[in-house]
Amino acid sequence: MTSIPLPELGENIETVTVSTVLVAEGDTVRKDQPVVEVETEKASLEVPATAAGTVAKIHVRAGDSVRIGAALMEIEAGDTPSGLSLIHISEPTRH
């Protein structure tokens, strides 16, 4: 399982407020997809997923004050949504 931490957001920023959680437990996310919106004193920012997979556990909710480095959620790694598999489609052979 991969933990999605609150990344460094700028000089002198130690805590932020979660404004919106953009995913729910069980959702499939792709790497770099925004998963949480946070607010600092000066700006609103989106925090992206650092891995693709299924959201296993969300540790924050709107209104929470979160310190830099704290886990926002846990992602169960995987490149494809549950129940789907990748198939290879080849071009027909020409004779």
Side-chain angles (χ1 to χ4, degrees):
M1 213 164 317
T2 302
S3 179
I4 307 297
L6 181 63
E8 292 283 334
L9 299 173
E11 196 172 315
N12 299 323
I13 297 175
E14 295 179 14
T15 61
V16 298
T17 301
V18 175
S19 56
T20 309
V21 178
L22 302 171
V23 296
E25 290 180 6
D27 285 356
T28 299
V29 297
R30 66 187 184 286
K31 185 176 181 185
D32 298 324
Q33 174 182 335
V35 292
V36 176
E37 289 180 350
V38 297
E39 295 178 0
T40 68
E41 291 180 4
K42 298 181 181 181
S44 292
L45 307 161
E46 292 181 334
V47 177
T50 55
T54 303
V55 178
K57 178 73 177 158
I58 298 174
H59 300 294
V60 297
R61 60 182 175 196
D64 285 354
S65 180
V66 181
R67 294 187 67 77
I68 300 300
L72 300 173
M73 63 186 60
E74 305 292 326
I75 304 277
E76 191 168 323
D79 293 329
T80 58
S82 292
L84 297 182
S85 57
L86 296 175
I87 59 171
H88 176 75
I89 300 174
S90 59
E91 292 291 321
T93 323
R94 299 203 174 146
H95 298 283

